[in-house]
Amino acid sequence: MNATWSRFNITSIVLGFAFLYLPIVLLVIFSFNESKLVTVWGGFSTKWYGELFNNVGLMNATWVTLRVALISASVATVLGTLAALTLTRYTRFRGRLLFSGMVFAPLVMPEVITGLSLLLLFVAIGLDRGFVTVTLAHITFSMCFVAVVVQSRLLSFDRSLEEAAMDLGAPPVKTFFQITLPVILPAIISGWMLAFTLSLDDLVIASFTSGPGATTLPMKIYSQVRLGVTPEINAACTILIGIVTAGVVAASIVNKRREVQRRRDEQVAQRG
């Protein structure tokens, strides 16, 4: 019985991972295809990466996407961390329920509604759609994801560390930067990576809030895919996959090293 369930579990896992990642693997493989036909293998070649870098439209869209993702992820990380600190440390203040609902509303709000509401807002205040509006829109919907990640870490944070630092004369600001921030930094990095990835991937909200000169890469790819998939698109997607993968691996290595250092510090403190 156990062997049967074991085989069933293994088969389910293999099929699940194949369903999720096999299309991505095929996309990466066919980005090195010699043939113009993306479904017919014509031999190994990297010429489409050269064609990609010569494609002005795709390169401009890539540059816009990276700038939006970097700025929006950084701002959303700061605002999301502050929101998480407010919800965790200040449990009783007037309007807390409303504030909490406003912070987490984008998590359950359909992207179409979010994009349309932001579009109406920008039109009402007379803000021309472009790079700024796309960036503001991405900050709006990614901030809540950062708040969730950081809040989950703060809920398990040992407040006695902060109390001990303040008892020794450290002011609240110094206590935060020297005690609290290093402990929750892995969660902040994870939140930044999540916000960065969501910004790279967004199509719906960017379609509502973008304007001339602010076409993002997902929008550019979607417009070209309707006319047929080209190997250049496979190459662009492969580069994006590589960027996200490198970021995730780097964040994992940093978090692992910080965890190892934290354990060493605890062992030294116990021995002392």
Side-chain angles (χ1 to χ4, degrees):
M1 188 69 176
N2 293 333
T4 302
W5 278 106
S6 178
R7 288 194 296 268
F8 174 78
N9 292 338
I10 293 175
T11 303
S12 300
I13 292 174
V14 170
L15 291 177
F17 278 107
F19 178 79
L20 290 174
Y21 295 107
L22 185 59
I24 299 178
V25 173
L26 292 176
L27 183 148
V28 174
I29 292 175
F30 277 98
S31 70
F32 297 98
N33 188 13
E34 174 72 23
S35 174
K36 286 186 177 182
L37 301 175
V38 294
T39 57
V40 178
W41 182 256
F44 181 85
S45 176
T46 58
K47 70 176 185 179
W48 298 113
Y49 286 88
E51 294 291 335
L52 170 64
F53 289 109
N54 292 327
N55 190 319
V56 178
L58 281 175
M59 293 307 299
N60 289 338
T62 302
W63 177 235
V64 170
T65 301
L66 290 177
R67 285 191 298 159
V68 169
L70 289 171
I71 296 174
S72 63
S74 300
V75 177
T77 299
V78 175
L79 297 179
T81 301
L82 293 176
L85 286 168
T86 301
L87 293 173
T88 305
R89 301 299 170 82
Y90 304 99
T91 57
R92 295 181 181 179
F93 62 89
R94 183 175 298 177
R96 185 183 187 279
L97 181 61
L98 178 61
F99 177 75
S100 177
M102 293 177 64
V103 170
F104 299 121
L107 285 172
V108 296
M109 192 73 66
E111 289 187 342
V112 174
I113 296 177
T114 302
L116 180 59
S117 61
L118 288 171
L119 171 62
L120 296 176
L121 172 64
F122 296 144
V123 172
I125 63 177
L127 184 60
D128 294 334
R129 287 182 294 165
F131 179 83
V132 174
T133 55
V134 176
T135 304
L136 292 175
H138 284 195
I139 293 172
T140 301
F141 80 83
S142 60
M143 181 185 69
C144 60
F145 292 92
V146 178
V148 169
V149 175
V150 177
Q151 185 182 16
S152 63
R153 181 65 186 91
L154 285 170
L155 290 175
S156 60
F157 181 79
D158 188 4
R159 295 292 302 276
S160 62
L161 298 175
E162 295 178 331
E163 295 173 356
M166 288 186 287
D167 289 341
L168 293 175
V173 176
K174 186 176 181 180
T175 300
F176 173 77
F177 282 103
Q178 293 192 356
I179 303 298
T180 309
L181 185 60
V183 175
I184 67 174
L185 187 59
I188 294 176
I189 295 175
S190 300
W192 187 92
M193 285 298 305
L194 180 59
F196 181 79
T197 305
L198 289 172
S199 179
L200 288 180
D201 181 63
D202 176 65
L203 171 63
V204 177
I205 296 177
S207 299
F208 280 96
T209 58
S210 65
T215 301
T216 63
L217 187 59
M219 294 173 58
K220 187 70 174 179
I221 292 175
Y222 179 73
S223 64
Q224 291 192 4
V225 163
R226 289 184 296 178
L227 301 176
V229 180
T230 64
E232 294 176 358
I233 295 178
N234 289 344
C237 294
T238 301
I239 292 175
L240 280 180
I241 293 171
I243 293 174
V244 173
T245 302
V248 172
V249 172
S252 300
I253 293 174
V254 170
N255 289 339
K256 185 176 181 180
R257 289 182 177 178
R258 291 187 65 85
E259 183 65 22
V260 171
Q261 185 63 38
R262 185 183 64 82
R263 292 179 180 177
R264 289 178 180 176
D265 293 341
E266 290 179 353
Q267 291 176 358
V268 171
Q270 291 177 358
R271 292 174 182 176

